């Protein structure tokens, strides 16, 4: 019998499955919501509300990220951010993360360490811990994160609650990730603020629960583009939404980048995905929390318009189309 070839100790295969798991989770602090963390067959997370908000997103190398465009830390942070943003969009506070990581056995331990460090850093920013998950071998890197959250006694803010007469408001940046993607796609790596927005979004996690407390009637994470995602609220609520372009915030940096690339910065703001801002509807008399800005209104009818007219370009991203 031929002996098995020695594993490179500097790769995840060299660490072994359980050595890798210990390296990912060992000695990491957990929030009070983690009653039993990694190390058993399953974790135990507090759910004093009696309900658990949960959401899963999958990031695939070459589709959602490229390691020649983003650092491993940025990839890990992005995997956490896109999931916790969904929990926030329900008006919930995150309580735990489950991470599934598939990668080639030749992935270096250094890259794996840096990727998981990015996950833990972003989890800390969101006030949550990685409570468990799984690691497996695969031909490319695939990261699946399931986020858990607590409504803290509130009702969830769904996509179906918008009412005629409500105002539409947003919290967070829009168009920055699309601008960063356009820059990277042209082979450039600057300006750093724009490129960084694509590499690692910064969702306003606390804004979700704050909007719920302020009486938001519907809310959504802007992951595929503002018009596309508001379209989900309009369809679920059986209403029409009209956006006012003069109320949209188009940062001068986006204007400068668009001018250099021959693009339209407003198009990025209206249709660009992966910023993970929050969009919500509120009763017209509601006092909006700090940082939210009104950009439109809810009307009778269906669909989403800009200044009362149909937007003629694609409204956002959709897989397989």
């Amino acid at each position: 019998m031929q002996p098995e070839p020695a594993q490179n100790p500097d790769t995840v295969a060299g660490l072994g499955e359980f050595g890798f798991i210990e390296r990912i989770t060992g000695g990491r602090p957990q929030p009070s919501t983690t009653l039993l963390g990694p190390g058993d067959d399953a974790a135990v997370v507090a759910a004093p509300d009696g309900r658990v908000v949960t959401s899963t997103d999958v990031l695939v190398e070459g589709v959602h990220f490229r390691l020649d465009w983003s650092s491993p830390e940025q990839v890990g942070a992005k995997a956490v951010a896109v999931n916790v943003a969904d929990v926030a969009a329900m008006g919930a506070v995150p309580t735990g993360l489950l991470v599934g990581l598939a990668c080639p056995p030749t992935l270096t331990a250094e890259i794996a360490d840096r990727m998981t460090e990015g996950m833990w850093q972003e989890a800390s920013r969101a006030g949550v811990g990685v409570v468990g998950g799984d690691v497996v071998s695969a031909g490319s890197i695939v990261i699946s994160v399931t986020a858990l959250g607590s409504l803290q006694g509130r009702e969830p803010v769904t996509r179906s609650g918008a009412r005629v007469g409500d105002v539409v408001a947003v919290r967070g940046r829009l168009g920055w990730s699309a601008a960063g993607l356009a820059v990277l796609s042209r082979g450039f790596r600057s300006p750093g603020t724009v490129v960084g927005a694509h590499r690692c979004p910064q969702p306003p996690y606390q804004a979700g629960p704050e909007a719920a407390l302020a009486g938001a009637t519907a809310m959504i994470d802007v992951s595929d583009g503002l018009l596309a995602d508001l379209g989900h609220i309009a369809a679920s609520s059986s209403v029409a939404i009209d956006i006012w372009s003069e109320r949209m915030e188009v940062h001068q940096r986006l204007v400068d980048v668009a001018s250099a690339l021959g693009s339209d910065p407003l198009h990025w703001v209206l249709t660009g995905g992966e910023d993970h801002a929050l969009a919500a509807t509120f009763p017209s008399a509601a006092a909006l929390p700090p940082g939210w800005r009104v950009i439109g209104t809810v009307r009778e009818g269906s669909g989403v318009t800009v200044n009362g007219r149909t937007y003629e370009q694609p409204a956002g991203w959709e897989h397989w189309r």
Side-chain angles (χ1 to χ4, degrees):
M1 179 181 295
Q2 293 290 330
E4 293 186 3
Q7 296 283 5
N8 183 344
D10 296 327
T11 65
V12 293
L15 294 172
E17 177 183 357
F18 300 108
F20 184 31
I21 292 173
E22 174 60 25
R23 192 164 173 139
I24 293 172
T25 60
R28 298 285 188 171
Q30 293 283 352
S32 60
T33 50
T34 304
L35 304 182
L36 182 64
D40 277 86
D41 288 332
V44 180
V45 178
D49 179 87
R51 300 166 297 174
V52 177
V53 175
T54 183
S55 178
T56 298
D57 271 292
V58 178
L59 276 69
V60 179
E61 183 179 15
V63 177
H64 301 96
F65 66 89
R66 287 173 46 172
L67 284 174
D68 60 332
W69 282 4
S70 302
S71 71
E73 291 90 347
Q74 290 167 332
V75 172
K78 183 176 182 178
V80 169
V82 302
N83 281 275
V84 179
D86 283 333
V87 169
M90 300 298 291
V93 174
T95 56
L97 299 172
L98 299 167
V99 177
L101 174 61
C103 63
T106 55
L107 183 71
T108 66
E110 178 195 4
I111 290 178
D113 282 344
R114 292 172 60 190
M115 193 176 298
T116 54
E117 181 62 29
M119 292 181 190
W120 280 100
Q121 288 178 357
E122 189 65 20
S124 177
R125 189 175 83 85
V128 70
V130 178
V131 301
D134 192 21
V135 295
V136 298
S137 179
S140 61
I141 301 172
V142 179
I143 307 170
S144 175
V145 177
T146 297
L148 311 176
S150 171
L151 291 165
Q152 299 182 330
R154 299 180 293 272
E155 290 303 307
V157 185
T158 67
R159 301 176 179 184
S160 60
R163 299 293 179 261
V164 174
D166 284 353
V167 296
V168 182
V170 295
R171 177 76 164 85
R173 301 189 303 188
L174 291 170
W176 286 74
S177 180
L181 177 60
V183 170
L184 288 166
S185 297
R186 299 288 185 92
F188 302 111
R189 297 294 185 269
S190 63
T193 52
V194 173
V195 172
H198 176 73
R199 288 168 169 164
C200 185
Q202 295 184 329
Y205 300 128
Q206 296 300 321
E210 289 171 356
L213 288 169
T217 54
M219 188 156 47
I220 195 167
D221 162 37
V222 183
S223 57
D224 296 325
L226 178 66
L227 298 186
D229 288 319
L230 287 178
H232 297 315
I233 289 181
S236 296
S237 300
S238 299
V239 296
I241 291 177
D242 187 44
I243 298 303
W244 308 320
S245 62
E246 70 273 11
R247 293 286 189 94
M248 301 306 302
E249 184 177 73
V250 184
H251 194 278
Q252 185 61 44
R253 181 55 58 89
L254 300 188
V255 174
D256 294 342
V257 171
S259 177
L261 298 181
S263 300
D264 178 6
L266 180 61
H267 181 65
W268 287 338
V269 171
L270 292 174
T271 69
E274 295 195 314
D275 282 297
H276 298 282
L278 297 179
T281 58
F282 295 85
S284 58
L288 272 60
W292 286 86
R293 59 187 184 277
V294 175
I295 61 167
T297 187
V298 179
R299 300 176 175 176
E300 293 183 352
S302 62
V304 179
T305 53
V306 179
N307 302 327
R309 298 181 179 180
T310 299
Y311 194 70
E312 298 298 337
Q313 300 185 62
W317 171 262
E318 183 178 348
H319 283 286
W320 301 301
R321 295 189 64 179

